[in-house]
Amino acid sequence: MECTHRDIETINTELILADLQTIETRIGRLQKEAKADPKVRDALDYLEGIKRNFEAGIPLSVSKNIIHEYINDLHLLTQNPLSMYLMLMRKCSLMTMRKWSSPSGRR
């Protein structure tokens, strides 16, 4: 039993939503800081662009212009394609194990 395309899309969406929540938290903090420090505005603008990408379902790993100084400490799940792949494989393995361990999944 393998992960279906739909399973993979669901997992990708979960990862993007987790990153979106992280970005929204940082944006909220930076909005307050930007009022006192105009230099913070660049980081805020950048993160708002990433937020729009996440809302459109685009993971950070396909972004062309990654400014690491603004995001490195956020540890975003969709930043590294290899990390995304490994997380997908782990979740697919767990889903497969659950399907086979449930009474309806056994043959």
Side-chain angles (χ1 to χ4, degrees):
M1 191 171 288
E2 297 179 9
C3 275
T4 66
H5 181 71
R6 187 174 180 169
D7 293 333
I8 292 170
E9 284 181 0
T10 299
I11 293 166
N12 275 328
T13 300
E14 289 175 6
L15 296 174
I16 290 170
L17 289 174
D19 282 356
L20 179 60
Q21 185 176 16
T22 301
I23 288 286
E24 287 174 336
T25 300
R26 176 61 58 90
I27 286 173
R29 195 189 82 205
L30 289 180
Q31 286 173 331
K32 294 173 187 171
E33 289 179 25
K35 292 176 184 174
D37 184 0
K39 294 177 186 177
V40 175
R41 189 73 208 163
D42 289 339
L44 182 58
D45 290 342
Y46 177 75
L47 292 178
E48 287 174 341
I50 289 178
K51 179 184 174 196
R52 285 189 295 276
N53 285 347
F54 287 158
E55 290 171 337
I58 302 168
L60 187 59
S61 61
V62 299
S63 181
K64 301 286 186 227
N65 300 320
I66 296 177
I67 303 175
H68 294 283
E69 72 179 272
Y70 296 152
I71 60 169
N72 273 349
D73 63 329
L74 297 175
H75 308 287
L76 299 172
L77 301 173
T78 63
Q79 183 173 357
N80 183 336
L82 179 59
S83 295
M84 285 182 65
Y85 175 78
L86 292 173
M87 293 179 107
L88 286 169
M89 293 298 93
R90 182 170 182 254
K91 282 208 168 202
C92 284
S93 294
L94 290 172
M95 289 168 58
T96 301
M97 287 173 27
R98 283 188 196 123
K99 287 178 184 174
W100 281 102
S101 65
S102 70
S104 61
R106 291 188 180 157
R107 296 179 187 226

